[in-house]
Amino acid sequence: MRHIGFSIGLLLSASIAWGQNLPSPESDAETRRGHTRQAAVATTQAWATDAGGQTKAIGPFVRVEGDKAIILGEATGLGGADPVEFFLVGPNSGKAYEALAISYASAGDIDAALRAIGLTPGHGVDPEHMLFFPRGPRVEMTFGWTAPAGPMSATTGQLIGRSRAAEPGAATRPSRAGLVYVGSPLAKAGADGKPRLAADLGDVGSIASSYNEPSTLLDVPRLAPQGIVYRQQLAAASLRKGEAVTITITVLKDVHQMDQRIVFVTVPNSAPPAVAVQMFALESPGPSMMRPMHVKQLSLEDAVRQILETPVTDELFLHPEIAPDVPLGEVARFYRALSAASTLEKCEIEAPKAGEAGEAEVRQIFYQAFLPDEANRDPAERFFPSAELDLTGAKPLLRTYDDPPTVPGIQPKWKITEQTVATPGDIAAAVAGPLKPADPDDRRPLFIFAPPTLTHAELLKWIAPIRSQYPVIWVYLPK
């Protein structure tokens, strides 16, 4: 009992120092910041000497308490008209002017604290590796501070005063609550070469961001590219600059992530060919875990209806696959339906996973390839070099569109080079010969024009020889 009393006494005295040993409201922000920092140092020193209970100091300014990670920091003083790009940045970040608060603890120490409470990070957004959605344990970040009226607390969502583009239904959608523990990528720092988290390096220093920052430790639970959501979220004017804040991270246990393999197939012995959807509940994502737990064969309409009925507490990640003999017209219809469900935020559509070890054959294409921008159907409307594979005529053609040479008085839109390609093997020869790009790093998009009756397997055969040369493809079917 004496030991427990000693521990409680230390925590109480630290809390008093942290929450109340601050200057009066009349003090300027820099003086307040100095006092806040001193109080944080005193608190973390008290933490280091407290060995009782279920608490543990992980590093300077961060500790775990049961299933919580507790961090010390200070408010930046963002006002109601200021955009929020970050909820929390690290001590060396150059982005404090766009953040709600600055953490005194490093991202590496916070990461260690989250692991200490039993969490394993997922992954952030990395388009280069076809990772388009944040994955990982869901957590809630709560800010605590002392106001004139007494102790106050608010989650990151509550500290957003208003949004220029409010997300419909977000307040009532539990699957969009909190933040995702994605784990910041490892990087090497300095001459010692010791790996550190990317969130502790560079100018950004994001611990928790309001957009899909590639280096952040905690991300928002949705697709949120910076260029689209920039300056959309505005701060509530609740915290003074330099105000002491205690940031608590807890696990959100009511949000469930589900992975479902969804395969589009043709029905055997049907005339004309009919299609159906097979749905598999997965134990975990990835090609090595495609063991079905439950299998259903549904019509496309029934499959979409089932997706739309996903409980609001569940986050559904679909892993679509197309059977080889499905016609492209049906493939496009399938992906339009899934895309509509994704737009309604009933599911996320994952990119194709890498094949098993040693498997080089391309088997799937990212679904967005079948949902092209109609504005680019006409090469005259494009403003960038491109290539076309036209499979609609009697003789397949491969064309390239390059910037033309300057001719006084005449300025054509593109320099067009065209070659007949009778077989997929001819494509590789054409790209290595007459249609070889001048720049070896040229990765222009490939626009494919195909009949709706062409099968998925036949399309893959045509693009397989040049997939590395044209990693971005778009498939156009007749209007």
Side-chain angles (χ1 to χ4, degrees), residues 27-212:
S27 300
D28 60 37
E30 289 305 313
T31 301
R32 186 183 303 116
R33 292 187 66 193
H35 281 260
T36 296
R37 179 79 182 192
Q38 291 174 9
V41 170
T43 299
T44 200
Q45 288 174 346
W47 284 355
T49 60
D50 173 32
Q54 294 182 319
T55 61
K56 179 183 178 181
I58 299 298
F61 312 113
V62 59
R63 71 182 287 137
V64 296
E65 182 178 321
D67 59 354
K68 302 175 183 178
I70 301 173
I71 307 149
L72 303 184
E74 67 179 66
T76 61
L78 287 188
D82 295 324
V84 178
E85 298 297 300
F86 307 92
F87 302 117
L88 186 67
V89 294
N92 299 316
S93 171
K95 301 293 184 179
Y97 64 95
E98 294 179 312
L100 291 175
I102 303 169
S103 166
Y104 291 151
S106 69
D109 285 342
I110 296 173
D111 180 67
L114 294 175
R115 292 174 186 269
I117 63 174
L119 299 182
T120 301
H123 64 72
V125 172
D126 184 356
E128 183 177 348
H129 293 91
M130 301 293 282
L131 301 174
F132 297 104
F133 302 102
R135 299 294 306 265
R138 192 66 61 83
V139 299
E140 185 74 271
M141 177 178 283
T142 304
F143 293 75
W145 69 98
T146 301
M152 303 286 290
S153 67
T155 64
T156 52
Q158 292 168 338
L159 286 173
I160 301 298
R162 61 188 177 91
S163 172
R164 290 196 176 102
E167 184 183 355
T172 59
R173 192 181 304 119
S175 65
R176 286 290 183 265
L179 298 168
V180 182
Y181 175 33
V182 296
S184 180
L186 282 175
K188 289 185 177 180
D192 59 4
K194 293 182 179 179
R196 296 175 61 192
L197 296 185
D200 281 329
L201 304 173
D203 181 63
V204 177
S206 173
I207 292 173
S209 61
S210 67
Y211 67 92
N212 301 141

Side-chain angles (χ1 to χ4, degrees), residues 381-414:
E381 299 299 321
R382 301 174 201 153
F383 56 89
F384 47 82
S386 60
E388 287 183 359
L389 175 60
D390 189 346
L391 302 175
T392 60
K395 295 182 179 180
L397 296 171
L398 184 64
R399 305 185 189 95
T400 57
Y401 295 83
D402 295 280
D403 293 323
T406 301
V407 178
I410 301 175
Q411 188 61 41
K413 176 68 175 178
W414 297 112

